[in-house]
């Protein structure tokens, strides 16, 4: 829609131009106000045109556009319609044959049906009549059988024959008729075939014709359309040419006008130039004179300047020389400096490398030293362990040796007592009393009460607390007699319970799961054990310290918690000092808020860490027991038998020795006597023997005889 | 450079006329080449051989000879013609031995093209069928075998056309019990991917060897003919169709072409066995879209057998059983098929469908939303059936083409149809030719047409309508066609052209 619209605008503009050149203002006018007015008018006209276009109906626009597109479009539409019509008519023409054939077929079918029906009717009639005739004949046969006269029979037979012949003839006639019909049909079929082939030929012809026709018309239409386009193009060309020529003419006229103007102007300018030239000439002369004078003055100045220039040049040359020298010097210095810088750089690099090396070395040393240190610490620990071990062993050994010695001593003492008793009862006839000394009942090395472990105490505390439910005050006095105690068992228990409840995080989760099925008290015990092991509380003292710390903390904090640092320092001091600190009366443990427990614990652990460091030697020292009583003990053992009894024993001893001597002499004499008797008997026996021998008889003088005399 | 002077020498010696001719041409060329070039070569004489030659031929022709020499040197063909490239030789060799050693896929595309251009169309199909996809080769094969080739009928693919026509040819000349069925089955693996349509317009019956002696008594003994019927079976398509994986169209005619004076009714027997096997074949072929069985003496029972096998077929879109002997029972079966398939085109032209059949079809049509085209040409549905169909069209919103030509319809149908025309907006083409609509019926149809804007074709030839009303209907159709064209051209301005044409149509 745009091109026609714009064209319309242009046309309107042209019209406007044509209509209002006299009274209306022109765009090309010299007056600016007039130009503005002209432009305003133009804009208004354009707006008007656009409004009209917008208001105008779509159909009008379309029609206009159709008119504008005009010939080619019209031709196209026309030929399209024509061609469509042609195609439609052509196809109709071609299909007409098919339709005709169809209707012929329908007619044929209808006829065929009719004929078929007639034929069937005819056949049925024929069947009926022939049946009748046949019946007649068969009846007559029956009749014929009854005939006896041959003549009649012959006649009848003849008549029958005639009838039969008639029947057969009828049938034959029918057959021939039908055959005739068949032949007719065959002919019809052949005709139909021919007709159909004709139809097909016609169809083909028409189709060909149609194709040709369509081709031809299409070509024609194409030519027409092309022609229309050509014409339109020609028109367009001519109109454009006309426009072009008009424009050219206008252009030419304007050119001419400009040319005239130009010529006029050229003349004007020429005149002006001439005038200018004359004036310039005069001016030039005056200026020339003036300038020449100036030149002379300037030449003089130039001479002067030259002189000064010469002077300055010499000076500058000298300066230049000097500067050159200096420059050389400076270059030399520069190179020296550079060299120096290089050298210094080298030195710096060396130093850096050295520094790095040293750092590395020191690091290595440091490492080795730390390693050594660690190793030493380990060794030290091992040594300590060994020492502890040996101390234990020593202890044991000591105890064993002690026991052994003691046993031995007691044996001896018992023997002495036995002997004393015997002496007293048997020899002196005195009643004997066994002496009673303290050391006799003593078994094992003399020592202080042993330190209880935390767990034992805990157990005790808890047990105590449970018992407390039964008898309140009676047990309290007995519970912790062995230690200076300011805190009641109940508060201790409560504090411990609190601790146990609040510091569950110190217990391992595995342990917690294991504790679940246990009894309440056992559970507390184990939990507290775990908590203490985590806190580093190992013995009774620590435990009491903890309880005290709790109480103190609470008392300090309940009035004012403004100086926690000082308090802590104070507390630490008190902790190191031990239990000697003055204790305040135990306040109600209920005052300790569970939330404070953690703070207290933290403070306690902070405080405990310091003393722990120098507690190790203290602990070792504690192992050394005092042996002051030992010597006394042993001394006492030795002096079990008093000096008086010893004196008694000495006297008894000497007396008994004398008695013993006498007895031994007597015993010796008895033995001597016995031996002499025995000798005597032996000698008698020998003599007898000699006398009884046979040799005596053989001898002239028998000894027996000799002897008999003395003997007799 | 060296052979050039010798050639030029021989030329000059053998035929003096040639240089003169060439000289003219060279002069033409030199003039076109410009005077600048003519001045340039003269001062710089490149070869010392030329002057003696020029002297031998004469001082006047020296420049001519030099120019000729230049032309021959420019000629690039002489060297190429003598030594063919190695690739060319290889390609020639490949082409020569293609039958024994087909090498194609390994070659570069340009070489493949060359090989294909030189291959003979007589190569055995076993070699070429699955190897060559090039259309130009198959085009050569087709044009060599058949004088007329309409490639548009075969989906625009020459290869497909070749195989389809080849298969069709084999099927046409297949004689059961005589021809080896392997002839067709051997082709199957080669053509299975390309054949999409089978169009066979003749099936030969088995040859009866003792036919001549029995010729005499065959005419008068109908019982014997029935006895022989099993022997008259045609080729069974089942194996073939089962093998073709892309088959979409099946167009069969059980009959013999060009039998001439050897005509016997037996030649045109579509036996029950044929029918059963065809039904099974069609049922098994799930890709089939178009099924045509025309001119094959299909009666009601056979039609029912066939249609029963087509019930709920997944792809079938067009069924054409025209020119058969289908009656009302067959039509009822077809109506059942309409509601049990996605059939779009149904053609029952030239059958024996009467009013009851039309009733059942109309009943099915009333609820159908697939069928686009229904053809009942040359049946005998009469007014009763026509009215039923018209009632069905009141509810149908899908049918576009309806052919009721030659159905003995008359005025009552026309009145109902005119009502349909005012309501229906889908019908584009109606054919009522060769009926007895009558003058009043024509007027009523005209009334109906005046309210219709969609109908494009309305055939009322030879239906006893007044010329005037036929003309006016034609005008209305013209207007509708224009509107349809406008709609097709610019769907956005759907309304304005209609309103624009509205007042015009009654005027024209």
């Amino acid at each position: 829609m745009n091109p026609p619209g714009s064209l319309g605008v242009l046309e309107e503009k042209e019209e406007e131009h044509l209509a209002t050149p006299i009274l209306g203002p022109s765009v090309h006018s010299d007056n600016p106000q007039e130009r503005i007015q002209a432009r305003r008018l133009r804009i208004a006209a354009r707006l008007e045109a656009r409004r009209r276009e917008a208001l105008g109906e779509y159909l009008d626009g379309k029609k206009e556009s159709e008119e504008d597109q005009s010939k080619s479009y019209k031709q196209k539409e026309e030929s399209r319609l024509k061609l469509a019509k042609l195609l439609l008519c052509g196809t109709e023409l071609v299909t007409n044959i098919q339709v005709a054939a169809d209707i012929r077929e329908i007619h044929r079918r209808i006829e065929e049906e009719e004929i078929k029906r007639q034929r069937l009717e005819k056949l049925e009639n024929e069947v009926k009549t022939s049946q009748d005739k046949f019946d007649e004949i068969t009846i007559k046969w029956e009749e014929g059988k009854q005939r006896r006269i041959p003549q009649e029979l012959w006649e009848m037979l003849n008549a029958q024959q005639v009838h039969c012949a008639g029947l057969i003839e009828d049938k034959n006639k029918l057959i021939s008729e039908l055959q005739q019909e068949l032949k007719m049909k065959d002919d019809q079929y052949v005709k139909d075939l021919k007709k159909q082939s004709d139809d097909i030929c016609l169809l083909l012809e028409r189709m060909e014709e149609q194709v040709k026709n369509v081709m031809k018309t299409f070509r024609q239409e194409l030519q027409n359309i092309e022609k229309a386009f050509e014409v339109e193009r020609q028109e367009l060309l001519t109109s454009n040419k006309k426009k072009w020529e008009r424009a050219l003419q206008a252009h030419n006229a304007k050119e001419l006008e400009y040319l005239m103007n130009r010529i006029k102007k050229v003349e004007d300018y020429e005149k002006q130039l001439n005038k200018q030239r004359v004036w310039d000439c005069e001016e030039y002369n005056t200026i020339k004179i003036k300038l020449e004078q100036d030149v002379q003055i300037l030449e003089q100045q130039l001479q002067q300047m030259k002189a000064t220039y010469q002077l300055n040049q010499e000076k500058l040359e000298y300066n230049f020389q000097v500067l050159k020298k200096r420059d050389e010097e400076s270059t030399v210095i520069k190179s020296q400096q550079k060299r120096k810088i290089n050298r210094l750089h080298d030195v710096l690099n060396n130093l850096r490398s050295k520094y790095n090396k040293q750092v590395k070395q020191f690091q290595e040393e440091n490492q080795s030293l730390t390693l050594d240190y660690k190793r030493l610490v380990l060794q030290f620990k091992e040594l300590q362990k060994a020492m502890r071990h040996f101390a234990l062993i020593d202890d044991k050994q000591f105890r064993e040796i002690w026991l052994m010695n003691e046993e031995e001593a007691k044996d001896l003492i018992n023997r002495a007592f036995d002997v004393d008793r015997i002496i007293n009862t048997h020899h002196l006839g005195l009643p004997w009393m066994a002496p009673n000394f303290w050391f006799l009942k003593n078994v094992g090395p003399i020592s202080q009460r042993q330190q209880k472990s935390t767990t034992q105490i805990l157990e005790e505390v808890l047990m105590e607390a449970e018992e407390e439910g039964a008898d309140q005050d009676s047990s309290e006095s007995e519970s912790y007699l062995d230690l200076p105690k300011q805190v009641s068992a109940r508060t201790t228990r409560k504090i411990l319970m609190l601790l146990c409840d609040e510091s569950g995080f110190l217990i391992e989760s595995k342990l917690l799961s294991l504790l679940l099925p246990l009894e309440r008290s056992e559970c507390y015990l184990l939990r507290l054990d775990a908590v203490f092991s985590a806190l580093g509380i190992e013995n009774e003292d620590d435990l009491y310290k903890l309880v005290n710390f709790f109480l103190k903390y609470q008392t300090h904090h309940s009035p004012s918690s403004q100086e926690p640092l000082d308090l802590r320092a104070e507390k630490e001091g008190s902790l190191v000092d031990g239990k000697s600190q003055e204790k305040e009366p135990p306040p109600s443990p209920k005052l300790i808020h569970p939330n404070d427990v953690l703070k207290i614990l933290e403070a306690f652990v902070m405080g405990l860490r310091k003393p722990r460091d120098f507690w190790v030697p203290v602990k070792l020292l504690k192992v050394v027991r005092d042996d002051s009583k030992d010597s006394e003990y042993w001394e006492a053992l030795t002096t079990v038998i008093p000096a008086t009894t010893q004196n008694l024993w000495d006297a008894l001893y000497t007396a008994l020795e004398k008695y013993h001597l006498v007895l031994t002499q007597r015993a010796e004499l008895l033995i001597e006597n016995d031996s002499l008797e025995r000798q005597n008997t032996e000698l008698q026996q020998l003599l007898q023997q000699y006398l009884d021998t046979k040799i005596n008889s053989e001898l002239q003088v028998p000894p027996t005889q000799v002897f008999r005399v003395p003997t007799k | 450079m060296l052979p050039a002077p010798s050639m030029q020498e021989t030329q000059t010696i053998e035929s003096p006329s040639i240089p003169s001719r060439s000289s003219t041409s060279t002069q033409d060329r030199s003039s076109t080449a410009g005077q600048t070039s003519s001045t340039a070569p003269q001062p710089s004489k490149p070869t010392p051989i030329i002057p003696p030659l020029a002297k031998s031929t004469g001082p006047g022709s020296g420049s001519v000879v030099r120019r000729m020499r230049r032309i021959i040197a420019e000629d690039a063909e002489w060297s190429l013609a003598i030594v063919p490239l190695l690739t060319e030789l290889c390609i020639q060799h490949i082409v020569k031995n293609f039958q024994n050693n087909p090498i194609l896929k390994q070659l570069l595309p340009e070489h493949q093209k060359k090989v294909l251009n030189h291959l003979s169309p007589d190569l055995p199909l076993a070699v070429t069928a699955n190897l060559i996809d090039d259309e130009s080769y198959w085009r050569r094969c087709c044009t060599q075998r058949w004088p007329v080739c309409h490639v548009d009928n075969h989906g625009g693919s020459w290869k497909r056309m070749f195989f389809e026509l080849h298969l069709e040819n084999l099927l046409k000349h297949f004689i059961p019990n005589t021809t080896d069925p392997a002839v067709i089955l051997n082709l199957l693996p080669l053509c299975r991917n390309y054949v999409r349509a089978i169009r066979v317009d003749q099936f030969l019956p088995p040859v009866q060897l003792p036919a001549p002696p029995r010729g005499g008594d065959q005419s008068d003994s109908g019982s014997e003919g029935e006895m022989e019927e099993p022997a008259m079976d045609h080729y069974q398509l089942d194996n073939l169709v089962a093998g073709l994986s892309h088959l979409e169209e099946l167009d069969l005619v059980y009959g013999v072409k060009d039998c001439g004076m050897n005509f016997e009714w037996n030649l045109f027997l579509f036996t029950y066995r044929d029918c059963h096997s065809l039904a099974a074949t069609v049922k098994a072929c799930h890709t089939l879209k178009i099924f045509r069985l025309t001119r094959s003496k299909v009666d009601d029972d056979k039609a029912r057998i066939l249609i029963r096998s087509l019930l709920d077929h997944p792809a079938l879109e067009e069924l054409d059983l025209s020119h058969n002997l289908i009656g009302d029972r067959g039509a009822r079966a077809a109506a059942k098929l309409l509601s049990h398939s996605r059939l779009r085109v149904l053609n029952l032209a030239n059958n024996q469908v009467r009013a009851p059949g039309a009733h059942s079809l109309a009943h099915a049509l009333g609820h159908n939303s697939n069928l686009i085209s229904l053809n009942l040409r040359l049946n005998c549905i009469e007014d009763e059936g026509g009215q039923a169909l018209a009632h069905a069209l009141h509810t149908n919103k899908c049918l576009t083409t309806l052919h009721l030509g030659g159905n003995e319809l008359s005025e009552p149908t026309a009145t109902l149809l005119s009502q349909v025309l005012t309501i229906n907006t889908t019908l584009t083409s109606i054919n009522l030719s060769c009926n007895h609509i009558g003058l009043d019926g024509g007027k009523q149809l005209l009334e109906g047409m005046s309210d219709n804007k969609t109908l494009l074709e309305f055939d009322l030839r030879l239906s006893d309508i007044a010329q005037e009303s036929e003309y006016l209907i034609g005008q209305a159709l013209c207007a509708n066609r224009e509107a349809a064209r406008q709609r097709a051209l610019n769907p956005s301005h759907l309304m304005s052209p209609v309103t624009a044409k509205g007042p015009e149509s009654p005027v024209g």
Side-chain angles (χ1 to χ4, degrees), chain A residues 80-91:
Chain A
R80 188 176 60 75
L81 287 175
K82 204 169 159 189
L83 288 174
K85 210 170 186 181
L86 183 76
L87 279 177
L88 208 67
C89 290
T91 42

Side-chain angles (χ1 to χ4, degrees), chain A residues 342-567:
Chain A
N342 281 340
R343 224 183 310 134
L344 286 173
H345 263 297
D346 287 352
V347 170
L348 183 70
N349 283 337
N350 278 341
L351 285 175
R352 254 186 207 149
S353 63
K354 257 185 206 166
Y355 168 74
N356 283 337
K357 236 184 260 171
Q358 286 229 325
V359 162
K360 240 180 243 169
Q361 207 181 326
F362 283 132
Q363 270 175 352
E364 275 167 25
E365 251 175 70
N366 191 13
Q367 252 170 358
S368 66
L369 284 176
T370 44
L371 280 175
D372 277 358
Y373 170 72
K374 273 175 193 166
R375 196 157 38 82
L376 284 174
V377 165
L378 271 177
Q379 274 177 356
F380 174 68
K381 272 180 187 164
E382 273 168 28
L383 199 67
Q384 268 186 344
K385 216 191 276 174
M387 220 161 82
R388 235 172 282 145
H389 177 70
F390 284 128
L392 275 177
I393 286 172
D394 282 352
D395 229 13
K396 212 166 146 195
Q397 268 181 348
F398 170 74
R399 194 179 156 80
E400 277 168 8
I401 288 169
W402 179 287
L403 282 174
M404 197 179 73
N405 285 338
E406 202 177 43
E407 207 175 324
E408 210 176 333
K410 280 192 182 153
D411 270 357
L412 287 174
I413 288 168
N414 280 337
R415 266 177 67 191
F417 283 158
D418 282 348
V419 168
D420 192 29
R421 188 168 46 94
I422 289 167
I423 288 169
N424 273 4
T425 51
H426 289 225
H427 294 272
L428 302 179
L430 291 171
W432 187 80
M433 285 288 287
N436 194 12
F437 298 107
W438 61 272
F439 46 82
L440 286 183
K441 278 158 198 161
N442 186 35
V443 178
I446 297 163
S447 59
Q448 281 90 351
R449 203 189 119 282
Q450 296 221 319
Q451 292 231 322
K452 281 182 195 171
S453 71
T454 43
T455 44
Q456 283 169 320
I457 294 164
L458 286 173
E459 211 167 350
E460 266 173 50
V461 167
L462 289 169
M463 291 297 286
E464 204 70 39
E466 268 166 28
E467 277 167 31
E468 246 174 292
D471 43 356
Q472 290 265 340
D473 296 348
S474 59
S475 60
E476 202 184 345
S477 55
E478 299 160 7
S479 60
Y480 292 106
L481 290 174
D482 31 6
L483 270 178
K485 266 242 358 158
Q486 315 82 6
V487 189
S488 73
R490 196 191 283 178
T491 44
T492 317
R493 184 178 143 248
K494 273 180 184 166
I495 286 168
L496 288 179
M497 297 282 238
L498 200 66
L499 192 66
C500 176
D501 288 336
E502 286 304 314
S503 54
F505 62 91
L506 291 170
I507 309 165
E508 279 179 60
S509 55
K510 252 189 231 172
L511 189 64
L512 275 176
S513 63
L514 286 172
L515 286 175
L516 275 176
L518 288 175
E519 223 177 298
R520 195 168 134 267
S521 61
E522 269 180 70
C523 177
Y524 270 121
L525 185 63
L526 286 170
R527 281 170 93 169
L528 278 174
D529 192 21
V531 169
F532 287 156
S533 67
L535 288 176
I537 295 171
E538 283 157 2
N539 54 23
E540 212 178 350
D541 294 349
D542 290 348
L543 178 60
Y544 290 116
K545 257 183 226 169
L546 176 69
V547 173
N548 285 331
F549 189 80
F550 263 85
L551 295 173
K552 247 185 285 167
Y553 184 89
Q554 201 251 321
T555 49
H556 276 287
H557 278 255
S558 52
S560 65
S561 58
Q562 286 176 353
E563 304 163 337
L565 280 170
D566 292 4
L567 278 173

